Amino acid sequence: MQRQHYRKASDNGDQFTEQEKGSRINDSKRSIGRHEVRSWKTAAKQSFCLMWQKVKEQLTLSMSFLLTVFWYCRRLYSFLAQLLKRWSNYLQRKLLRNISVLTEVDLLDYSAREWKGETKQAKHMREAYDALAWTYHVKYLRQVKRDNYCVLRAVLFQIFRQGIPFPSWMKERDILKLPEKLLYSQGCNWIQQYSFGPERYTGPNVFGKLRKCMETLKTNWIELSATKDPEERGNICNMLFSDETKEHKLYEAIKFIMLYEVVEACEKIKNREEPKHNLFSLLLARDSSSDPLSFMMNHLNSIGDSMYLDQVELLLLGYVLEIKVRVYRLHRFDTEEFQVSYPDGYRREWNEISLLTEDDRYYHIPIFRK
């Protein structure tokens, strides 16, 4: 019995041991599984940390690079902006120095700036400018370069700027042939003594130079009168009146046309015909211009050099260009001669331009209030 009991106990012990072993094995497996999970999580976490560290380094480098690029771009932009500003200022100064008709400025501001003080003349000029502003509705003015081409420049600029058409008599005749016509048809060989303003040139090549001047005038006049867009026409004018060489050719062509008209009038007088306008009688009555040669030698040759157009020549200028030139003479304010028109016998269909002058020598362009 004891042996049987012992055997049973032994069997129970073995059975308990087997169960315990199974339990321990299962616990061990679970422990190993948990350890493996923890190891996998740890490995994954470490991998993620390493990867984030690398990404973080790359991001840091990228941000540093972008910040550096941004800083250099900002410095470059600042440098280019300063360079562009300096270049713009340089071009503006150069353009203002070269352009012979400046942009519009306020009339009263110009008056206050130019005529300071309480002298009698300063007060008189300020009153004249006030009258232009409030009575004649002049709002702005364009300053014109002060040289002995001044009045020709102020007149021709407005003709081109307004797109005034070519004069009718110039359409009927080929003005390019006028120099040769005076020489060969009318025997004016003294034309070789014609002088081109500050370029005091005379000689046999005068006809070639005159022809180039006439070509410049005709080409630019026809182009500008055919340009319908006012803004485009203004841009062309600004370019044209910034080119001194072209400008002088225009003025010399106008001077020669004036001479041609005087020669024509003299021929009619010799043939006992009445000239078309009484201004020729006034012009030829002067001792210094009693004939075309003296008119050229004593007046036209010096215009642009040491002389400027006087009032009789301004009459002639309006006549040959078929325009009415209205002039406000500020030094004649409060007199009948404050506002005058050249020529007095103009036709209604002629276009009108306006000038203002402080001394009958230098002229500016008034701009009326719209």
Side-chain angles (χ1 to χ4, degrees), residues 277-320:
H277 200 283
N278 61 0
L279 69 89
F280 294 101
S281 300
L282 294 173
L283 190 144
L284 295 170
R286 301 184 301 182
D287 293 336
S288 59
S289 60
S290 57
D291 57 72
L293 175 58
S294 60
F295 175 59
M296 183 188 77
M297 297 297 294
N298 299 326
H299 294 272
L300 286 182
N301 276 358
S302 298
I303 291 174
D305 179 26
S306 58
M307 292 180 62
Y308 51 91
L309 265 68
D310 61 20
Q311 293 184 58
V312 177
E313 289 152 4
L314 195 51
L315 287 169
L316 178 60
L317 179 66
Y319 173 77
V320 300

Side-chain angles (χ1 to χ4, degrees), residues 147-333:
D147 61 12
N148 289 315
Y149 281 130
C150 184
V151 65
L152 290 173
R153 180 179 293 112
V155 168
L156 207 57
F157 180 87
Q158 291 187 79
I159 289 175
F160 288 172
R161 187 68 179 82
Q162 295 178 27
I164 293 175
F166 217 49
S168 58
W169 74 270
M170 292 189 191
K171 293 177 181 178
E172 297 170 359
R173 309 178 194 180
D174 186 0
I175 64 171
L176 301 182
K177 296 179 180 179
L178 294 185
E180 288 83 355
K181 183 178 179 181
L182 286 187
L183 177 62
Y184 299 113
S185 300
Q186 296 172 304
C188 301
N189 56 0
W190 43 264
I191 294 295
Q192 296 184 34
Q193 300 178 62
Y194 187 93
S195 182
F196 295 81
E199 183 187 353
R200 303 195 63 83
Y201 175 87
T202 56
N205 293 330
V206 69
F207 298 101
K209 291 178 69 67
L210 281 171
R211 188 178 181 89
K212 288 180 180 178
C213 293
M214 305 299 280
E215 287 174 351
T216 302
L217 176 67
K218 184 176 181 179
T219 301
N220 285 278
W221 198 330
I222 291 175
E223 177 189 359
L224 283 158
S225 62
T227 304
K228 302 305 180 184
D229 182 17
E231 184 177 352
E232 182 182 356
R233 197 164 56 238
N235 292 333
I236 296 173
C237 279
N238 290 336
M239 292 178 61
L240 180 59
F241 286 85
S242 299
D243 188 332
E244 188 177 86
T245 302
K246 277 189 178 181
E247 266 196 281
H248 288 186
K249 288 180 180 178
L250 296 174
Y251 308 143
E252 292 302 324
I254 297 296
K255 284 169 50 179
F256 184 77
I257 292 172
M258 293 168 65
L259 176 61
Y260 176 83
E261 285 294 301
V262 172
V263 172
E264 289 275 287
C266 283
E267 287 297 316
K268 289 186 176 182
I269 293 173
K270 286 180 182 179
N271 296 328
R272 299 183 181 277
E273 299 177 19
E274 286 293 327
K276 294 180 180 179
H277 200 283
N278 61 0
L279 69 89
F280 294 101
S281 300
L282 294 173
L283 190 144
L284 295 170
R286 301 184 301 182
D287 293 336
S288 59
S289 60
S290 57
D291 57 72
L293 175 58
S294 60
F295 175 59
M296 183 188 77
M297 297 297 294
N298 299 326
H299 294 272
L300 286 182
N301 276 358
S302 298
I303 291 174
D305 179 26
S306 58
M307 292 180 62
Y308 51 91
L309 265 68
D310 61 20
Q311 293 184 58
V312 177
E313 289 152 4
L314 195 51
L315 287 169
L316 178 60
L317 179 66
Y319 173 77
V320 300
L321 299 181
E322 293 186 349
I323 56 171
K324 174 186 175 182
V325 183
R326 185 185 298 275
V327 181
Y328 297 94
R329 306 169 71 200
L330 275 67
H331 59 296
R332 298 292 186 181
F333 178 62

